[in-house]
Amino acid sequence: MKAPAAPPSVSATRWLAAGSLLGLIALGLAWELWLAPLRPGGSWLALKVLPLAIPLAGILKNRMYTYRWVSLLVWLYFTEGVVRAWSDVDGTSRVLALAEVLLCLVLFAACAWHVRLRLRHAKSHSLEGAAP
């Protein structure tokens, strides 16, 4: 017997998480290589996006464990965004830092909401199967 399909909200949170994760990766690379690098011509700080590339496959494969640990990892990038928005002198860098903060909040909310919805969906279907 095939498991019932998940509600559309679960799929929406999955794609929201994947989109915001890809957005963070793109923003980090563009920021440190072209838009407002620490040194002209780009900097090695662009490597900070490598840890974000690791969970991308797990998010796309819809692995629950990945959503859980990404919701913790994202706070490192949130902290960087807040610190740079507060302390950077360059206006472009501040705007990019605020964009990073926004993407982090979206990613966290999408991951947390996704896990909650999937657990609720699994629980409701396990209770249906247990009924006589």
Side-chain angles (χ1 to χ4, degrees):
M1 185 169 150
K2 187 176 180 182
S9 56
V10 173
S11 180
T13 57
R14 175 185 179 201
W15 292 113
L16 186 60
S20 56
L21 183 59
L22 284 170
L24 270 175
I25 292 169
L27 176 70
L29 287 173
W31 183 355
E32 299 302 341
L33 294 176
W34 304 289
L35 299 175
L38 290 177
R39 294 186 178 86
S43 72
W44 284 96
L45 198 54
L47 294 176
K48 71 182 180 185
V49 301
L50 283 179
L52 291 173
I54 295 168
L56 191 55
I59 294 287
L60 293 174
K61 290 180 181 178
N62 211 19
R63 293 189 175 142
M64 179 77 86
Y65 180 76
T66 305
Y67 287 93
R68 289 179 172 173
W69 69 264
V70 167
S71 69
L72 299 174
L73 173 71
V74 72
W75 292 112
L76 295 172
Y77 295 89
F78 174 83
T79 304
E80 182 212 14
V82 169
V83 167
R84 291 187 73 176
W86 183 265
S87 64
D88 281 1
V89 183
D90 182 25
T92 304
S93 188
R94 282 189 174 175
V95 170
L96 295 171
L98 291 173
E100 180 178 36
V101 168
L102 179 64
L103 283 169
C104 287
L105 292 173
V106 170
L107 179 57
F108 174 78
C111 287
W113 194 20
H114 183 85
V115 168
R116 182 180 176 121
L117 289 173
R118 278 184 58 189
L119 289 175
R120 184 183 301 156
H121 180 70
K123 184 178 179 183
S124 69
H125 286 292
S126 69
L127 291 176
E128 289 174 8

